[in-house]
Amino acid sequence: MPEERITVEVEGRRLGLSNLDKVLYPAHGFTKREVLDYYRRVAPAMLPHLRDRAATFRRFPDGVDGEPFYEKNVSRHAPDWVRTARLTNRGRRGGEETLDYPVVGDLPTLMWAANLAALELHVPQWTVGPRGARKSPDLLVFDLDPGPPADVVECCRVAETLGDLLTGDGLTVYAKTSGNKGMQLYCPVRTRSDERTSEYAKAVAEELARRSPETVVARMTKAIRRGRVFIDWSQNNTAKTTIAPYSLRGRAVPTVSTPVTWEEVEACRKAADLLFTAGQVIERVEEMGDLFGDIAEHRAAVPTR
């Protein structure tokens, strides 16, 4: 069958869309049309957390049952109105590589990404300036990754302890699910050093691992993670990215990395308590607004530990 293509106008930008009825989540029957509609509806809450950040796409052109791939460099077929940031990174073989990253700052660009079947959008903990210069980190993140049979319930218990420690250090702490099996805690920060957030996060993770070695680990070694929660502090490395708030995940079901309240974290007793699909997230945003909406208002200096 010929590829279905239509042209639409989104906020004054012309955008070609294709294969709208293609099922990207076969077990759930969720189509590309529904992916586009989700991102259109969640955009007011999501875009502030993507704006000015160099994005990495995880694309699923054959749906979640197919083989995904990560894409950092903007395709030469991208519309000329897609904003990019030219950044130089250390390559896989030790040398340097210069890439043109997409910066998803408006609805047309978000729709363009969704049309590429970029179900997952990953962003770093720093922003770029108007000319593309990389700024120092403005976010501190802890990625809580449970080792089976532990799940998000154990992550919530660790998150409560970690949240108390961070609050005691003068930081404001926000929680969201990963949309997969774990969760992340974020703190808005101010620093002029690219290393300070990693140094602090590592010290905090290692302290909790010493306090609670039966439930927490601060090292990535899989052999020691069974039944425990790995506090991945390395997400603060400037070369790393984390799944963006409100991003879909490439799972069997269209789950979403969802901001949650601390009351929800404390009340979690089974994994399903903190598992949200695209439709549920739209309902949450309509009812609760963006739970990360004031994050930029609470930046504090990175503590010394």
Side-chain angles (χ1 to χ4, degrees), residues 13-16 53-55 57 71-86 100-114 116:
R13 303 293 193 185
R14 289 177 62 81
L15 180 62
R53 297 187 191 273
F57 296 164
E71 185 173 70
K72 300 178 181 181
N73 211 22
V74 168
S75 164
R76 60 187 177 86
H77 300 297
D80 58 10
W81 43 259
V82 170
R83 182 187 172 193
T84 60
R86 178 161 292 183
D100 292 315
Y101 286 78
V103 180
V104 184
D106 54 31
L107 182 60
T109 306
L110 184 58
M111 293 295 93
W112 166 73
L116 295 176

Side-chain angles (χ1 to χ4, degrees), residues 5-16:
R5 299 186 66 87
I6 63 170
T7 299
V8 298
E9 186 170 299
V10 182
E11 296 183 347
R13 303 293 193 185
R14 289 177 62 81
L15 180 62

Side-chain angles (χ1 to χ4, degrees), residues 5 7 10 19 31 109 118 128-129 136 174 191 199 240 250 257 269 279 298:
R5 299 186 66 87
T7 299
V10 182
N19 294 326
T31 65
T109 306
V128 294
S136 296
Y174 296 76
T191 182
E199 293 167 353
K240 295 286 190 75
S257 183
R269 293 296 179 269
H298 296 282

